[in-house]
Amino acid sequence: MHNIVEDGRVSLMFMVPGNSNVVRVNGTAHLSVSAAHLARFERNGRKPRSVVAVSVSEVYSQCARAIMRSGLWQGQAAPDLPSMGDILQAQTAARAEPSERVDSARYEKDWQARVTKSLW
């Protein structure tokens, strides 16, 4: 928490067992003791003393090379979560030009060919 107080820049990396996609989130964070924030995290009648609030400035996928090469999630089934194609489709859906929009099904279909050419 000291680091957040000193320099609010943060970078989070989300890895899900069974899934080779890694999502990175960059932004700024601050500590909050707001009653509204604390109430959102109440469990079994207990509230935290503080929470970390993050304002997101960037979201992007991280290269999956290390996870794929290491076999980190080998043998583990991927949970039912949005795919990277789903995320990109949602982010580009409002773009005026159809050519700038990502189609989730096509992105996922073409992903293995892209990975094979670019990761190895």
Side-chain angles (χ1 to χ4, degrees):
M1 290 193 211
H2 176 75
N3 289 346
I4 291 172
V5 171
E6 290 292 319
D7 180 355
R9 293 176 299 163
V10 293
S11 182
L12 307 168
M13 184 167 72
F14 296 92
M15 299 170 55
V16 177
N19 191 321
S20 61
N21 287 315
V22 176
V23 176
R24 291 280 305 268
V25 175
N26 290 330
T28 56
H30 70 274
L31 300 179
S32 174
V33 293
S34 150
H37 283 151
L38 300 180
R40 291 185 66 190
F41 296 95
E42 182 177 346
R43 298 293 181 269
N44 301 321
R46 298 184 66 192
K47 295 178 188 172
R49 287 198 231 159
S50 63
V51 297
V52 176
V54 177
S55 296
V56 176
S57 60
E58 299 182 290
V59 176
Y60 58 93
S61 62
Q62 182 74 29
C63 176
R65 179 182 297 143
I67 291 175
M68 295 175 73
R69 285 183 176 170
S70 71
L72 180 63
W73 308 127
Q74 195 167 9
Q76 294 187 31
D80 187 23
L81 295 172
S83 68
M84 186 53 63
D86 295 337
I87 293 169
L88 292 171
Q89 181 172 308
Q91 288 180 333
T92 62
R95 299 231 171 125
E97 296 296 320
S99 63
E100 294 178 350
R101 298 178 198 153
V102 173
D103 176 82
S104 178
R106 182 180 180 125
Y107 181 91
E108 296 302 329
K109 179 179 174 268
D110 296 342
W111 187 78
Q112 189 60 48
R114 282 193 312 275
V115 168
T116 303
K117 290 177 184 174
S118 64
L119 291 185
W120 313 106

